[in-house]
Amino acid sequence: MSGKDVMEGFFAALVVSFGVIFVAELGDKSQLMALTFATRFKPIPVLIGITIATAVVHLASVAIGAGLGAVLPTEWISLVAGVAFLGFGAWTLRGDKLTEEEKRKAEKTNKTALVAVSVAFFLAELGDKTMLATITLATKYGWFGTWLGSTLGMVAADALAILVGRMLGRRLPEKAIKYGAAILFAISGLWLILEAVNELT
């Protein structure tokens, strides 16, 4: 594989994973946590904490995904990824709420912002749809581009939540975000399924 192919693969992984995770994060409980933390702490330490937690969780996710990608045939990966994305769309429509414990942690923590946000986000992301989407992406794309893109996508979505939330008095247009994200997931899922069907026939 030439250096040009490697760079093209890296940028494809970066752009796709950024877009998918950005969409996955819209209306997610992590966005709500980011907004809650930002009412108590300054936005910059909150975003740094989110970045640290996301980078660690997504590094583990891409390791799992890359391992699966190495042993599974590509056409079946596309099919499974497509079905997974349809599932993520349904999950997005169902909505995501903060539990009382998560809300309490975000509102009443007395630790420094960086530690509090990092720990809370790390725990919130384990098993979340953004983690599962990152694993799915890493089965199909390179691990480094997927890791970087997914981390940046999540931080960008949470930064947007903080910004929009402050502008709108901490009220996000939840329905519009939820339906928009679900539609984008459904389109991505159908695209991957069609790609897999073409490869299999």
Side-chain angles (χ1 to χ4, degrees), residues 43-124:
I44 298 300
V46 171
L47 286 173
I48 292 170
I50 291 168
T51 305
I52 292 167
T54 305
V56 172
V57 171
H58 287 192
L59 190 59
S61 303
V62 296
I64 295 166
L68 288 172
V71 296
L72 295 173
T74 54
E75 59 272 16
W76 288 104
I77 288 172
S78 290
L79 189 60
V80 170
V83 172
F85 275 35
L86 292 178
F88 295 144
W91 188 341
T92 303
L93 274 179
R94 190 197 68 186
D96 219 352
K97 301 280 184 199
L98 286 178
T99 64
E100 284 305 311
E101 188 183 348
E102 286 166 338
K103 203 179 285 183
R104 203 163 52 245
K105 276 182 190 169
E107 286 173 352
K108 296 187 177 178
T109 182
N110 291 317
K111 297 174 185 174
T112 63
L114 205 59
V115 174
V117 175
S118 298
V119 171
F121 268 81
F122 178 80
L123 295 173

Side-chain angles (χ1 to χ4, degrees), residues 11-48:
F11 283 117
L14 182 71
V15 171
V16 171
S17 57
F18 179 94
V20 168
I21 299 304
F22 183 87
V23 168
E25 187 65 2
L26 296 177
D28 191 70
K29 67 180 177 185
S30 305
Q31 256 196 339
L32 303 175
M33 282 181 77
L35 192 52
T36 308
F37 272 121
T39 62
R40 181 175 173 81
F41 302 116
K42 289 178 181 175
I44 298 300
V46 171
L47 286 173
I48 292 170

